[in-house]
Amino acid sequence: MRVRVADETRTGNVIDLRSYDLEITAVAEAIRDENTDSPVAIDCPPPGPAHAHVGAIRAGMAWSLRPALAAAARSRGHAPPQADALAEVRDLLDDLDAPAIDLRDARRRVAETTDAAEELREEVATLRGRVRALREADADPTDAEADLAETTRLLSEAETERIAAEQTLARAREQARADRERRRERLRLEDRAANLRRSARKSLADDVREAFEEAREKLPVDAEPPVSAALAVARVAALDAPVVVGTVESFDRVDALAEWVDAPVVRV
Amino acid sequence: MLLVVTYSRAARQTLRNVCNRHDEAVVQRFGRAALLDATELGAFLALRLREKHAGDVQLERTTTFNEFEEVPESVRDAAAAYEERDHASTPYAKFAVGTDHPDADAMRDAEL
């Protein structure tokens, strides 16, 4: 690998960067090409699937063993027996992309047209009362009658619009019902995919568990459990890209560690 | 009450979170659905879910069900009589033949 940091370039299989105050995660991200702002640039082979789990090993690291073991098995070319079923479920899911149906506009239109019709209905009732009152008082009802006729016409239009809006919403609801059938099926498939992934992880992890236990017993350095387990997984995995190891006293024999892990090592 | 039904893993998870955080507004929880109080808070929570997950969230308003107000006597009697049938394996269609009970097709087309 080739490492460039602060105008300096270094090459080799084991590189010690302790003189620079670098964040271990920033270095691991630089290796995985995930962080372009990193103060360090590293040319190395692309990391395999296990690098995300054991690419940055330091005291107090939070991680879980099974996914790391599964990734290690993948990096060694193991395929789980669930692979075919999982691929099939993914294909089914890809075919299920349903168009989204948005009923919001239809719902709003029903509410608005209902309100408008209601308002006009009240107005018609008021005008009717006024016409009757004018007639009873022997006053001239002509203007009020004209208002009533006009408002009645508007009400009839509004009613027509309200009915149309309700029918549109009813149709959209029917479509949404069919759409939900597809969503229900998609959810069922997603759950199935998640279950398959879980059992695939377990079976992959089981594939390399024995090698992992052996490696952990023969660790060349003293380390706390998460670190010793991560180192053992790193040895079991095919990493290609360098492993970054953080400040732990017993990591001073970095050459020996790199040889044992069988991967390039960056010490920070 | 407000019925919230979810149709994706993400929406289901959000519903779980909402129910955990606002237990006081939740009437009943089911796997991927929940009944919320018909309050403004219930509506707020339901609408938040729909804003976040759009079509993966179905919202319905539910009301209590009183069969003596809403269901014709013939249907109520048919249900009771069918549960008292002599042979558990008799399908309803066969059971209804030759009786006064409504047939299933007729009920299917009749809105409550």
Side-chain angles (χ1 to χ4, degrees):
Chain A
M1 70 178 134
R2 180 194 286 126
V3 176
R4 280 186 307 279
V5 55
D7 298 335
E8 191 191 354
T9 301
R10 295 199 211 164
T11 54
N13 224 19
V14 177
I15 291 175
D16 194 330
L17 297 178
R18 263 177 292 185
S19 51
Y20 301 97
D21 189 20
L22 293 169
E23 287 282 337
I24 182 165
T25 46
V27 179
E29 281 167 7
I31 288 167
R32 293 196 287 262
D33 272 338
E34 285 167 0
N35 183 354
T36 46
D37 294 335
S38 177
V40 53
I42 299 176
D43 290 337
C44 60
H51 200 272
H53 299 271
V54 294
I57 300 177
R58 74 272 192 200
M61 62 191 288
W63 78 315
S64 28
L65 179 60
R66 184 181 280 174
L69 282 176
R74 267 186 223 284
S75 76
R76 290 282 176 204
H78 289 251
Q82 295 83 354
D84 287 347
L86 196 51
E88 201 178 304
V89 171
R90 285 209 187 100
D91 285 347
L92 288 172
L93 276 169
D94 284 345
D95 292 342
L96 258 186
D97 255 344
I101 295 165
D102 193 350
L103 304 184
R104 183 190 301 252
D105 289 345
R107 281 194 302 267
R108 178 175 290 147
R109 206 176 139 226
V110 166
E112 284 169 357
T113 53
T114 304
D115 282 354
E118 189 54 42
E119 229 169 82
L120 284 165
R121 203 170 298 127
E122 278 168 26
E123 218 174 300
V124 165
T126 313
L127 285 168
R128 236 179 234 140
R130 190 185 306 160
V131 168
R132 199 182 308 121
L134 286 168
R135 278 188 190 140
E136 280 166 8
D138 281 334
D140 180 10
T142 317
D143 287 352
E145 277 170 354
D147 284 350
L148 175 60
E150 172 63 7
T151 312
T152 306
R153 190 183 62 76
L154 289 175
L155 171 60
S156 146
E157 275 175 20
E159 281 292 354
T160 309
E161 213 174 302
R162 181 185 63 77
I163 290 164
E166 272 171 7
Q167 284 170 348
T168 305
L169 179 59
R171 271 195 305 275
R173 280 213 173 108
E174 274 306 308
Q175 283 175 351
R177 191 186 289 194
D179 177 45
R180 281 193 206 106
E181 281 305 318
R182 280 193 296 269
R183 287 175 201 267
R184 219 191 311 269
E185 175 65 5
R186 192 180 59 191
L187 181 59
R188 197 187 66 76
L189 288 169
E190 282 171 352
D191 283 346
R192 175 154 166 70
N195 286 336
L196 283 169
R197 269 195 297 273
R198 217 174 356 258
S199 46
R201 254 199 313 275
K202 181 179 184 311
S203 115
L204 283 167
D206 288 346
D207 281 353
V208 294
R209 199 173 293 271
E210 211 178 295
F212 161 75
E213 295 294 356
E214 261 173 43
R216 189 157 60 169
E217 276 163 29
K218 293 178 187 147
L219 214 63
V221 292
D222 291 330
E224 292 300 309
V227 169
S228 61
L231 286 171
V233 172
R235 179 177 158 88
V236 168
L239 282 165
D240 302 333
V243 181
V244 196
V245 295
T247 328
V248 171
E249 287 308 312
S250 59
F251 282 5
D252 285 342
R253 291 166 51 231
V254 191
D255 286 357
L257 192 63
E259 201 172 306
W260 185 78
V261 168
D262 193 22
V265 167
V266 179
R267 179 81 166 92
V268 297
Chain B
M1 289 172 287
L2 303 175
L3 172 67
V4 185
V5 187
T6 59
Y7 291 87
S8 71
R9 289 168 65 82
R12 186 173 55 190
Q13 187 57 50
T14 312
L15 177 64
R16 269 189 213 124
N17 296 346
V18 164
C19 288
N20 289 339
R21 228 169 299 139
H22 300 276
D23 203 29
E24 76 284 3
V26 179
V27 179
Q28 183 67 264
R29 298 169 67 157
F30 311 98
R32 56 188 182 84
L35 277 170
L36 305 181
D37 275 331
T39 58
E40 288 194 353
L41 178 62
F44 168 75
L45 297 173
L47 286 177
R48 251 185 60 200
L49 264 149
R50 180 141 78 189
E51 285 297 326
K52 189 165 182 184
H53 300 287
D56 283 336
V57 175
Q58 177 187 2
L59 301 183
E60 304 290 342
R61 181 165 194 161
T62 66
T63 56
T64 54
F65 178 72
N66 182 344
E67 73 273 35
F68 298 102
E69 282 177 343
E70 293 164 64
V71 183
E73 194 178 355
S74 61
V75 175
R76 281 186 270 134
D77 288 350
Y82 183 55
E83 277 315 301
E84 290 295 314
R85 68 192 177 278
D86 295 331
H87 303 287
S89 58
T90 310
Y92 180 74
K94 199 175 159 201
F95 172 82
V97 171
T99 68
D100 289 340
H101 299 305
D103 66 60
D105 287 333
M107 291 194 284
R108 189 171 299 122
D109 295 332
E111 290 272 335
L112 278 184

